[in-house]
Amino acid sequence: MSPVPLLAVENLTMCFGGLVAVDNISFTAYRGEITAIIGPNGAGKTTVFNCLTGFYRPSAGRLAVHKDGEILQLERIEGFRIVRRAGIARTFQNIRLFAGMTVLENLIVAQHNPLMKASVFSLAGLLGLPRYRAAERAAVERARHWLDRIGLTDRADWLAAALPYGAQRRLEIARALCTGPALLCLDEPAAGLNPRESAELNDLLLGVRDEEQIGILLIEHDMSVVMGISDHVIVLDYGRKIADGTPAEVRADPEVIKAYLGEDEIDNAAEEAPLRPLAGREGGARANGAAA
Amino acid sequence: MTAAAGLAVDSAAKPPAFWVPFLKDAVLAALVAVLLALPLVGLQTYDIGGGALGIRTHFDWVAIGGAAVFAGRLALRVLQQLYRTRPTGRARVLISIAAWGNRQALPITLLGIGFAVALPFLPFSSRYLIDLGTTVLIYVMLGWGLNVVVGLAGLLDLGYVAFYAVGAYTFGLLARDLDFTFWEALPFSGLVAASFGVVLGFPVLRLRGDYLAIVTLGFGEIIRIVLLNWAPVTGGPNGIGGIPRPSFFGLHFARSAPEGVATFHQFFGLEFSPDHRVIFLYFVILAMALLTNAFTLRIRQLPIGRAWEALREDEVACRALGINPTTVKLSAFAIGAMFGGFAGCFFATRQGFISPESFTFIESATILAIVVLGGMGSQLGVVLAAVLLVSLPEFGRAFAEFRMLIFGAAMVGVMVWRPRGLIAHREPTLRLGSSR
Amino acid sequence: MAYFLQQLINGLTLGAIYGLIAIGYTMVYGIIGMINFAHGEIYMIGAFISIIAFLVLGLAGVTYVPLALAIVLLITMLFTSIYGWAVERIAYRPLRGSFRLAPLISAIGMSIFLQNYVQIFQGARGKPMPPVVQGGFTVFESGGFAVRLSYLQLFIMLLTLALMIGFTTLIAVTPLGRAQRACEQDMRMAALLGVDVDRVISLTFVMGAALAAVAGLMVTLYYGVVDFFIGFLAGVKAFTAAVLGGVGSLPGAMLGGILIGLIEAFWSGYFSVEYKDVSVFVVLILVLVFCPTGLLGRPEVEKV
């Protein structure tokens, strides 16, 4: 892939009091690649995300993003500016949509910054100047594009909370994509999805990777997703990185098998999607069936 | 055999089992009510002179209260049971009402505005009624202003009256010391109130919702105490008097004006009537309130308004989407404060006199009650709640006395049964179909 | 120096009262994470019930002061606790799991309701209370200024101390205290393990109300007058005390109460009486902005 990494994490460490949640981790992620971070519960995966997206200030280490030939130090950028400055968007493990707003509004809010600029401190917006109206139309078009991609166009005016679980997950991904990111961080996007939704998610992510040429960073437990679409897998355990390589390499790594996956588990995982009984998947499955 | 018999007995005993627990429940509730009422309702203290207290007993009231609670609780449980067996019944009724209201929103609004405009000229209209209407409209405007902060941005402001006070005192001071007229002072009132909003809001807006509420309450009280004690400037408890009335494009509402100044009745060749000013004040506040409403409805559809609502829904997600929570909250706070300031300026000119007494916490609580009862974020709901609040005392002395009691209870009731308010319908700020 | 000592005594007395109310805030906050805005009203109701109890006892001919005090204390705690229980049951329990601001708004509604309820049935005027505990002694004298410690002040401080010790023991060793601490840590887990969460929350409100009732009784004796509006300011001050000490921490609430009492006493003693309430509000705002965990509180890590 491209020689310059999109994201270079060097010696990232995050402590909470005496607890070292992330211990001296380094890795890189590239444009046009899907990088998966896996590891048992409590391995520090989400903490890495929180450091990347400015929710936590790392205790030590450097988080560099290469953007337009410039190197940005994420740890020095105030949390909410990271999207705009460094182009990192994320989703959350427990879906965080604007539940009381419509699907379309969720996607428009994601384009707050360009729209705000176009509305000139709301003045142009209040007066309804053409400059703002054009910007709003463009925002709606972008939203429509992603709605088409996730198959929610016909439900654009529904309240986000009224969507079935699987659709909410897709909407959250679309919302992150509406910010026009260079790096998309997905925290367990397949959690609670049924096998078919999971497969559709794989297609979506592969499509986004290839068409948009952006980097995707993925935390996932569902091995069918991880092994199926990742270009690159990083394994964490107790806050440390224990393996880093292609899915095949990681799968064969004895350290990984010993520390985390277990021999049987990984064979199963590779061959069939693990069926985990999770609340919410029923609704998702039904809705998906109905939509299909 | 015995098992079957047992079953039969069970099913035979089923009908009473349906209401026996309810009865028990109602008896318990009544018992608690009696215990609650016993010391505070049943034993009433009163002055017997010489700084001493006597006690009157009102055990009849306690008994009535207990009986009322018993009946109410029983009715409530039975109703709940009925609705549980027909789960869609109530929901369907509410949905159809909401849908009807939604379809008819424009006609209802136009009708309401039409009525408000025509009110002073209707045959049953009186000076008293117009005065009442003016009071209602002040609360409507305050409610709409606070709705930006509480309803849209989801920031619970318990000190909103502070901005009302700042607006009123801004005009009071400008009029007293610099001879400003109402129209000259109005923008300053809004501006000063908004600046107060920014200055007070900046350090505290990163606090969690409930802490923010308490801090705003503190600000409200600090401002009131300062107004009360900074006598050389604010006049202390005596307040500021002699605040000028508004003029109609320079025309005064007086029987006779000083040399070179025209009066309204002379200019239009009318006979002088003190009602002119009352009607004029009514229209001024009506226009101000409608402008507030138009502004709010418009800004809701702009990025900043949507960011307010998004922030109310989920602050963490907002940060992840690149929205700066502090500035977005600050803008809501400042705009809400500005409307409070405008309303305060009008209040000052209407009363002609202001003192800290008008700006107590009770006032903040009243405005909040209007917003909450109307349904946070609903503009029409605020109007209904304000009309209800102001007109309740007109139904008799008892209602006047019980007004805040009813409102307090209603706030609890609304939160328990319809937390999104009496009128809880949210119109999307844009639709995919219509934007094409 | 003498003046300082006198203010210290006054401040400690006030602080004991605020501390008792603050415990109610801090316990409720610890367990269900809401500000029980109506708690100040519970305290006000406690004060009213204590006055009424004194009057009834007076009519019944109980004149021996220690006996009368003990009976009034029990009656006040009992009836006020029922109010605490009812408030939780009516205004807060149905709202668990509702949206973020709902319990707070409901609490404000409850507070307005209770204030007006007392105003309607007991009148808006201040209720005078003749002094019950009189006398005192001079601790210290210098330059013609005598530092007085009245028996009443002594009574308030000792009673508070006794209640604190008893209460801390209750939380530390009894099964109820254990269940309560468990709910504070993780309510859902406690429920799964068979703790009756509703009952624990109810009891928390009852205990908070009982302590507020004692504070109400004390303030009745100390100031000799109560009205329906005293709950508002005392509530805000006690809440400030709870925040200052660290919300969720019982010793913190007591410490915060004493500090607020001292701040108020010294502010009115050395600066201006008019702005003494402002001093408390300023403390509240400063603590929340600069040190939201308070003196003895645990830091909160934001979960994303």
Side-chain angles (χ1 to χ4, degrees), chain B residues 32 35-41 43-47 51-55 61 73 150 154-156 158 203-204 207-211 213-215 217-219 221-222 225-226 229-230 311-312 316 319 361-362 365 368 372 376 401-402 404-405 407-409 411-412 415-416 419-420, chain C residues 29 33-35 37 45 48-49 51-52 55-56 59 79 82-83 85-86 89-91 94-95 98-102 104-106 108-110 112-113 115-118 120-122 125-128 229 232 236 239 243 247 274-275 277-278 281-282 284-285 288-289 292 300 302 304:
Chain B
V32 172
L35 280 178
L36 288 176
L38 200 62
L40 288 179
V41 179
L43 300 166
Q44 192 181 28
T45 53
Y46 68 102
D47 287 321
L53 288 176
I55 283 229
W61 292 357
R73 181 77 190 160
V150 179
L155 305 167
L156 192 54
L158 296 181
V204 301
L207 293 178
R208 299 181 18 183
D210 38 7
Y211 281 176
I214 298 285
V215 168
L217 173 103
F219 280 143
E221 282 300 293
I222 289 177
I225 295 171
V226 168
N229 291 303
W230 197 18
L311 209 60
R312 177 192 68 198
V316 169
R319 270 193 280 164
F361 171 69
I362 301 295
L368 181 69
V372 169
M376 279 170 279
E401 205 178 318
F402 283 81
M404 285 313 285
L405 188 84
F407 258 70
M411 275 171 87
V412 177
M415 282 302 114
V416 171
R420 295 274 173 180
Chain C
Y29 199 96
M34 71 164 280
I35 300 174
F37 202 83
I45 282 175
F48 266 89
I49 292 180
I51 272 203
I52 292 167
L55 285 173
V56 171
L59 292 175
F79 279 97
I82 303 176
Y83 271 92
W85 180 85
R89 186 69 192 74
I90 295 169
L95 293 179
S98 190
F99 76 108
R100 198 161 53 83
L101 292 177
L104 191 57
I105 292 171
S106 179
I108 293 165
M110 203 56 182
I112 297 173
F113 176 84
Q115 249 180 44
N116 284 275
Y117 162 75
V118 171
I120 287 168
F121 288 105
Q122 297 291 336
R125 287 228 233 132
K127 300 287 173 190
F229 203 62
F232 174 68
V236 174
F239 176 75
V243 169
V247 168
E274 291 84 23
Y275 287 103
D277 296 336
V278 170
F281 290 123
V282 169
L284 172 67
I285 291 163
L288 278 180
V289 171
E300 250 176 82
E302 188 181 24
V304 176

Side-chain angles (χ1 to χ4, degrees), chain B residues 164-183:
Chain B
Y164 187 42
V166 166
Y169 270 86
T170 302
F171 179 32
L173 293 176
L174 285 175
R176 191 188 66 189
D177 299 337
L178 298 169
D179 287 325
F180 270 52
T181 66
F182 170 72
W183 296 110

Side-chain angles (χ1 to χ4, degrees), chain A residues 55 80 83 92 96 98-101 104-105 108-109 112-113 115 122 125-126 132 136 140 144 156-157 175, chain B residues 295 298 301-304 306-307 310 313-314 316-317 319-324 426 428-432 435-436:
Chain A
F55 283 94
F80 68 87
V83 181
F92 295 89
R96 281 180 174 273
F98 304 121
M101 302 173 83
L104 180 63
E105 283 174 323
I108 300 292
V109 169
H112 177 78
N113 286 318
L115 277 176
S122 303
L126 276 176
Y132 171 71
E136 196 184 69
V140 172
R144 186 198 296 277
D157 297 328
R175 189 178 66 180
Chain B
F295 182 87
R298 184 85 190 103
Q301 300 176 332
L302 293 181
I304 186 71
R306 274 193 287 264
E313 299 289 326
D314 195 327
V316 169
R319 270 193 280 164
L321 294 175
I323 296 172
N324 181 349
R426 181 182 173 276
T429 58
L430 80 174
R431 287 173 183 280
L432 196 57
S435 61
R436 202 154 230 174

Side-chain angles (χ1 to χ4, degrees), chain C residues 24 27-28 31-32 34 36 39 42 80-81 83-89 92 96 180 199-210:
Chain C
M27 276 199 311
V28 167
I31 201 160
I32 50 175
M34 71 164 280
N36 178 10
H39 193 59
I42 296 289
T80 314
S81 307
Y83 271 92
W85 180 85
V87 165
E88 193 271 332
R89 186 69 192 74
Y92 307 147
R96 273 183 228 145
Q180 207 215 4
R199 197 171 134 256
V200 171
I201 293 175
S202 280
L203 278 168
T204 305
F205 274 84
V206 164
M207 288 189 289

Side-chain angles (χ1 to χ4, degrees), chain B residues 3-22:
Chain B
L7 264 176
V9 169
D10 258 12
S11 55
K14 214 163 190 179
F18 154 71
W19 54 267
V20 162
F22 291 0

